[in-house]
PDB file of all heavy atoms in Angstrom:
ATOM      1  N   THR A   8      -2.274 -11.713   9.845  1.00 91.00           N
ATOM      2  CA  THR A   8      -1.590 -10.756   8.944  1.00 91.00           C
ATOM      3  C   THR A   8      -2.516  -9.622   8.466  1.00 91.00           C
ATOM      4  O   THR A   8      -3.642  -9.913   8.027  1.00 91.00           O
ATOM      5  CB  THR A   8      -1.051 -11.496   7.723  1.00 91.00           C
ATOM      6  OG1 THR A   8      -2.021 -12.270   7.051  1.00 91.00           O
ATOM      7  CG2 THR A   8       0.109 -12.426   8.146  1.00 91.00           C
ATOM      8  N   ILE A   9      -1.998  -8.410   8.569  1.00 92.00           N
ATOM      9  CA  ILE A   9      -2.822  -7.244   8.064  1.00 92.00           C
ATOM     10  C   ILE A   9      -1.993  -6.444   7.102  1.00 92.00           C
ATOM     11  O   ILE A   9      -0.852  -6.114   7.377  1.00 92.00           O
ATOM     12  CB  ILE A   9      -3.217  -6.351   9.266  1.00 92.00           C
ATOM     13  CG1 ILE A   9      -3.966  -7.232  10.310  1.00 92.00           C
ATOM     14  CG2 ILE A   9      -4.033  -5.121   8.740  1.00 92.00           C
ATOM     15  CD1 ILE A   9      -4.384  -6.361  11.514  1.00 92.00           C
ATOM     16  N   MET A  10      -2.567  -6.322   5.885  1.00 89.00           N
ATOM     17  CA  MET A  10      -1.821  -5.495   4.785  1.00 89.00           C
ATOM     18  C   MET A  10      -2.295  -4.048   4.859  1.00 89.00           C
ATOM     19  O   MET A  10      -3.468  -3.755   4.926  1.00 89.00           O
ATOM     20  CB  MET A  10      -2.086  -6.122   3.458  1.00 89.00           C
ATOM     21  CG  MET A  10      -1.410  -5.401   2.330  1.00 89.00           C
ATOM     22  SD  MET A  10      -1.938  -5.994   0.668  1.00 89.00           S
ATOM     23  CE  MET A  10      -3.543  -5.201   0.570  1.00 89.00           C
ATOM     24  N   CYS A  11      -1.346  -3.123   4.829  1.00 84.00           N
ATOM     25  CA  CYS A  11      -1.676  -1.692   4.811  1.00 84.00           C
ATOM     26  C   CYS A  11      -1.222  -1.188   3.478  1.00 84.00           C
ATOM     27  O   CYS A  11      -0.074  -1.479   3.064  1.00 84.00           O
ATOM     28  CB  CYS A  11      -0.868  -0.901   5.922  1.00 84.00           C
ATOM     29  SG  CYS A  11      -1.516  -1.314   7.658  1.00 84.00           S
ATOM     30  N   THR A  12      -2.091  -0.389   2.868  1.00 82.00           N
ATOM     31  CA  THR A  12      -1.717   0.178   1.518  1.00 82.00           C
ATOM     32  C   THR A  12      -2.482   1.382   1.310  1.00 82.00           C
ATOM     33  O   THR A  12      -3.554   1.728   1.889  1.00 82.00           O
ATOM     34  CB  THR A  12      -2.130  -0.861   0.422  1.00 82.00           C
ATOM     35  OG1 THR A  12      -1.920  -0.277  -0.833  1.00 82.00           O
ATOM     36  CG2 THR A  12      -3.604  -1.191   0.519  1.00 82.00           C
ATOM     37  N   GLY A  13      -1.909   2.294   0.481  1.00 77.00           N
ATOM     38  CA  GLY A  13      -2.571   3.574   0.134  1.00 77.00           C
ATOM     39  C   GLY A  13      -3.539   3.399  -1.013  1.00 77.00           C
ATOM     40  O   GLY A  13      -4.191   4.381  -1.353  1.00 77.00           O
ATOM     41  N   ASP A  14      -3.597   2.186  -1.511  1.00 77.00           N
ATOM     42  CA  ASP A  14      -4.499   1.958  -2.617  1.00 77.00           C
ATOM     43  C   ASP A  14      -5.962   2.008  -2.185  1.00 77.00           C
ATOM     44  O   ASP A  14      -6.343   1.958  -1.022  1.00 77.00           O
ATOM     45  CB  ASP A  14      -4.268   0.545  -3.225  1.00 77.00           C
ATOM     46  CG  ASP A  14      -2.972   0.390  -3.927  1.00 77.00           C
ATOM     47  OD1 ASP A  14      -2.517   1.442  -4.424  1.00 77.00           O
ATOM     48  OD2 ASP A  14      -2.402  -0.705  -4.000  1.00 77.00           O
ATOM     49  N   ASN A  15      -6.866   2.180  -3.195  1.00 78.00           N
ATOM     50  CA  ASN A  15      -8.292   2.228  -2.931  1.00 78.00           C
ATOM     51  C   ASN A  15      -8.750   0.879  -2.404  1.00 78.00           C
ATOM     52  O   ASN A  15      -8.106  -0.141  -2.656  1.00 78.00           O
ATOM     53  CB  ASN A  15      -9.015   2.719  -4.078  1.00 78.00           C
ATOM     54  CG  ASN A  15      -8.953   1.746  -5.265  1.00 78.00           C
ATOM     55  OD1 ASN A  15      -9.336   0.586  -5.179  1.00 78.00           O
ATOM     56  ND2 ASN A  15      -8.360   2.246  -6.343  1.00 78.00           N
ATOM     57  N   PRO A  16      -9.956   0.759  -1.781  1.00 86.00           N
ATOM     58  CA  PRO A  16     -10.363  -0.491  -1.234  1.00 86.00           C
ATOM     59  C   PRO A  16     -10.526  -1.645  -2.263  1.00 86.00           C
ATOM     60  O   PRO A  16     -10.193  -2.788  -1.917  1.00 86.00           O
ATOM     61  CB  PRO A  16     -11.767  -0.142  -0.685  1.00 86.00           C
ATOM     62  CG  PRO A  16     -11.717   1.299  -0.314  1.00 86.00           C
ATOM     63  CD  PRO A  16     -10.822   1.911  -1.502  1.00 86.00           C
ATOM     64  N   LEU A  17     -10.870  -1.310  -3.462  1.00 82.00           N
ATOM     65  CA  LEU A  17     -11.058  -2.429  -4.453  1.00 82.00           C
ATOM     66  C   LEU A  17      -9.714  -3.038  -4.826  1.00 82.00           C
ATOM     67  O   LEU A  17      -9.538  -4.242  -4.916  1.00 82.00           O
ATOM     68  CB  LEU A  17     -11.705  -1.844  -5.726  1.00 82.00           C
ATOM     69  CG  LEU A  17     -12.370  -2.832  -6.660  1.00 82.00           C
ATOM     70  CD1 LEU A  17     -13.279  -3.823  -5.957  1.00 82.00           C
ATOM     71  CD2 LEU A  17     -13.105  -2.161  -7.826  1.00 82.00           C
ATOM     72  N   THR A  18      -8.692  -2.128  -5.097  1.00 80.00           N
ATOM     73  CA  THR A  18      -7.306  -2.625  -5.412  1.00 80.00           C
ATOM     74  C   THR A  18      -6.779  -3.372  -4.268  1.00 80.00           C
ATOM     75  O   THR A  18      -6.126  -4.461  -4.398  1.00 80.00           O
ATOM     76  CB  THR A  18      -6.407  -1.469  -5.759  1.00 80.00           C
ATOM     77  OG1 THR A  18      -6.909  -0.749  -6.922  1.00 80.00           O
ATOM     78  CG2 THR A  18      -5.010  -1.938  -6.090  1.00 80.00           C
ATOM     79  N   ALA A  19      -6.944  -2.784  -3.043  1.00 85.00           N
ATOM     80  CA  ALA A  19      -6.421  -3.472  -1.824  1.00 85.00           C
ATOM     81  C   ALA A  19      -7.077  -4.784  -1.631  1.00 85.00           C
ATOM     82  O   ALA A  19      -6.273  -5.763  -1.252  1.00 85.00           O
ATOM     83  CB  ALA A  19      -6.698  -2.557  -0.620  1.00 85.00           C
ATOM     84  N   ALA A  20      -8.384  -4.914  -1.868  1.00 87.00           N
ATOM     85  CA  ALA A  20      -9.126  -6.311  -1.695  1.00 87.00           C
ATOM     86  C   ALA A  20      -8.545  -7.308  -2.681  1.00 87.00           C
ATOM     87  O   ALA A  20      -8.390  -8.403  -2.287  1.00 87.00           O
ATOM     88  CB  ALA A  20     -10.598  -6.051  -1.833  1.00 87.00           C
ATOM     89  N   THR A  21      -8.234  -6.774  -3.884  1.00 85.00           N
ATOM     90  CA  THR A  21      -7.788  -7.751  -4.931  1.00 85.00           C
ATOM     91  C   THR A  21      -6.275  -8.256  -4.593  1.00 85.00           C
ATOM     92  O   THR A  21      -6.104  -9.483  -4.625  1.00 85.00           O
ATOM     93  CB  THR A  21      -7.655  -7.002  -6.295  1.00 85.00           C
ATOM     94  OG1 THR A  21      -9.008  -6.575  -6.640  1.00 85.00           O
ATOM     95  CG2 THR A  21      -7.181  -8.073  -7.387  1.00 85.00           C
ATOM     96  N   ILE A  22      -5.514  -7.368  -4.154  1.00 85.00           N
ATOM     97  CA  ILE A  22      -4.157  -7.743  -3.761  1.00 85.00           C
ATOM     98  C   ILE A  22      -4.168  -8.621  -2.595  1.00 85.00           C
ATOM     99  O   ILE A  22      -3.442  -9.663  -2.451  1.00 85.00           O
ATOM    100  CB  ILE A  22      -3.230  -6.480  -3.453  1.00 85.00           C
ATOM    101  CG1 ILE A  22      -3.124  -5.724  -4.801  1.00 85.00           C
ATOM    102  CG2 ILE A  22      -1.953  -6.903  -2.891  1.00 85.00           C
ATOM    103  CD1 ILE A  22      -2.212  -6.394  -5.890  1.00 85.00           C
ATOM    104  N   ALA A  23      -5.024  -8.244  -1.567  1.00 88.00           N
ATOM    105  CA  ALA A  23      -5.149  -9.085  -0.296  1.00 88.00           C
ATOM    106  C   ALA A  23      -5.626 -10.548  -0.620  1.00 88.00           C
ATOM    107  O   ALA A  23      -5.062 -11.456  -0.020  1.00 88.00           O
ATOM    108  CB  ALA A  23      -6.055  -8.398   0.694  1.00 88.00           C
ATOM    109  N   ARG A  24      -6.579 -10.601  -1.518  1.00 88.00           N
ATOM    110  CA  ARG A  24      -7.090 -11.920  -1.878  1.00 88.00           C
ATOM    111  C   ARG A  24      -6.029 -12.709  -2.618  1.00 88.00           C
ATOM    112  O   ARG A  24      -5.823 -13.946  -2.271  1.00 88.00           O
ATOM    113  CB  ARG A  24      -8.310 -11.746  -2.688  1.00 88.00           C
ATOM    114  CG  ARG A  24      -8.978 -13.055  -3.077  1.00 88.00           C
ATOM    115  CD  ARG A  24     -10.340 -12.818  -3.742  1.00 88.00           C
ATOM    116  NE  ARG A  24     -10.219 -11.995  -4.931  1.00 88.00           N
ATOM    117  CZ  ARG A  24     -10.665 -10.686  -5.023  1.00 88.00           C
ATOM    118  NH1 ARG A  24     -11.190 -10.113  -3.947  1.00 88.00           N
ATOM    119  NH2 ARG A  24     -10.548 -10.010  -6.133  1.00 88.00           N
ATOM    120  N   GLU A  25      -5.282 -12.122  -3.455  1.00 85.00           N
ATOM    121  CA  GLU A  25      -4.282 -12.805  -4.238  1.00 85.00           C
ATOM    122  C   GLU A  25      -3.143 -13.264  -3.332  1.00 85.00           C
ATOM    123  O   GLU A  25      -2.560 -14.342  -3.471  1.00 85.00           O
ATOM    124  CB  GLU A  25      -3.757 -11.936  -5.320  1.00 85.00           C
ATOM    125  CG  GLU A  25      -2.753 -12.571  -6.308  1.00 85.00           C
ATOM    126  CD  GLU A  25      -2.279 -11.657  -7.362  1.00 85.00           C
ATOM    127  OE1 GLU A  25      -2.896 -10.612  -7.631  1.00 85.00           O
ATOM    128  OE2 GLU A  25      -1.270 -12.021  -8.051  1.00 85.00           O
ATOM    129  N   ALA A  26      -2.695 -12.363  -2.389  1.00 87.00           N
ATOM    130  CA  ALA A  26      -1.621 -12.687  -1.535  1.00 87.00           C
ATOM    131  C   ALA A  26      -1.976 -13.656  -0.377  1.00 87.00           C
ATOM    132  O   ALA A  26      -1.109 -14.335   0.113  1.00 87.00           O
ATOM    133  CB  ALA A  26      -1.034 -11.450  -0.941  1.00 87.00           C
ATOM    134  N   GLY A  27      -3.249 -13.600   0.004  1.00 90.00           N
ATOM    135  CA  GLY A  27      -3.699 -14.525   1.103  1.00 90.00           C
ATOM    136  C   GLY A  27      -3.550 -13.983   2.491  1.00 90.00           C
ATOM    137  O   GLY A  27      -3.467 -14.733   3.418  1.00 90.00           O
ATOM    138  N   VAL A  28      -3.567 -12.632   2.602  1.00 91.00           N
ATOM    139  CA  VAL A  28      -3.520 -12.050   3.916  1.00 91.00           C
ATOM    140  C   VAL A  28      -4.856 -12.200   4.639  1.00 91.00           C
ATOM    141  O   VAL A  28      -5.941 -12.269   3.901  1.00 91.00           O
ATOM    142  CB  VAL A  28      -3.021 -10.482   3.910  1.00 91.00           C
ATOM    143  CG1 VAL A  28      -1.618 -10.487   3.375  1.00 91.00           C
ATOM    144  CG2 VAL A  28      -3.979  -9.697   3.048  1.00 91.00           C
ATOM    145  N   ASP A  29      -4.910 -11.954   5.960  1.00 92.00           N
ATOM    146  CA  ASP A  29      -6.216 -12.134   6.736  1.00 92.00           C
ATOM    147  C   ASP A  29      -7.001 -10.901   6.663  1.00 92.00           C
ATOM    148  O   ASP A  29      -8.266 -10.912   6.734  1.00 92.00           O
ATOM    149  CB  ASP A  29      -5.829 -12.534   8.186  1.00 92.00           C
ATOM    150  CG  ASP A  29      -5.114 -13.844   8.251  1.00 92.00           C
ATOM    151  OD1 ASP A  29      -5.508 -14.758   7.582  1.00 92.00           O
ATOM    152  OD2 ASP A  29      -4.135 -13.922   9.071  1.00 92.00           O
ATOM    153  N   ASP A  30      -6.336  -9.749   6.566  1.00 92.00           N
ATOM    154  CA  ASP A  30      -7.108  -8.407   6.618  1.00 92.00           C
ATOM    155  C   ASP A  30      -6.389  -7.322   5.878  1.00 92.00           C
ATOM    156  O   ASP A  30      -5.101  -7.619   5.696  1.00 92.00           O
ATOM    157  CB  ASP A  30      -7.399  -8.096   8.126  1.00 92.00           C
ATOM    158  CG  ASP A  30      -8.524  -7.032   8.195  1.00 92.00           C
ATOM    159  OD1 ASP A  30      -9.121  -6.668   7.156  1.00 92.00           O
ATOM    160  OD2 ASP A  30      -8.842  -6.624   9.330  1.00 92.00           O
ATOM    161  N   PHE A  31      -6.935  -6.320   5.596  1.00 91.00           N
ATOM    162  CA  PHE A  31      -6.290  -5.164   4.984  1.00 91.00           C
ATOM    163  C   PHE A  31      -6.778  -3.868   5.378  1.00 91.00           C
ATOM    164  O   PHE A  31      -7.919  -3.763   5.795  1.00 91.00           O
ATOM    165  CB  PHE A  31      -6.295  -5.317   3.445  1.00 91.00           C
ATOM    166  CG  PHE A  31      -7.619  -5.146   2.815  1.00 91.00           C
ATOM    167  CD1 PHE A  31      -8.107  -3.917   2.384  1.00 91.00           C
ATOM    168  CD2 PHE A  31      -8.439  -6.319   2.642  1.00 91.00           C
ATOM    169  CE1 PHE A  31      -9.342  -3.793   1.913  1.00 91.00           C
ATOM    170  CE2 PHE A  31      -9.659  -6.140   2.122  1.00 91.00           C
ATOM    171  CZ  PHE A  31     -10.246  -4.898   1.778  1.00 91.00           C
ATOM    172  N   ILE A  32      -5.988  -2.838   5.168  1.00 89.00           N
ATOM    173  CA  ILE A  32      -6.415  -1.455   5.420  1.00 89.00           C
ATOM    174  C   ILE A  32      -6.125  -0.651   4.206  1.00 89.00           C
ATOM    175  O   ILE A  32      -4.945  -0.534   3.812  1.00 89.00           O
ATOM    176  CB  ILE A  32      -5.739  -0.790   6.660  1.00 89.00           C
ATOM    177  CG1 ILE A  32      -6.098  -1.624   7.903  1.00 89.00           C
ATOM    178  CG2 ILE A  32      -6.107   0.700   6.857  1.00 89.00           C
ATOM    179  CD1 ILE A  32      -5.305  -1.156   9.129  1.00 89.00           C
TER     180      ILE A  32
END
């Protein structure tokens, strides 16, 4: 699973960690 978001890397990393996705952009 890869999450794509327009958020900055820090916000994206926090959401990705909380949601449990494998990677994010």
Side-chain angles (χ1 to χ4, degrees):
T8 52
I9 302 175
M10 179 186 77
C11 290
T12 175
D14 290 333
N15 63 62
L17 198 54
T18 301
T21 302
I22 296 293
R24 184 170 57 253
E25 184 179 344
V28 295
D29 297 317
D30 199 0
F31 66 89
I32 300 174

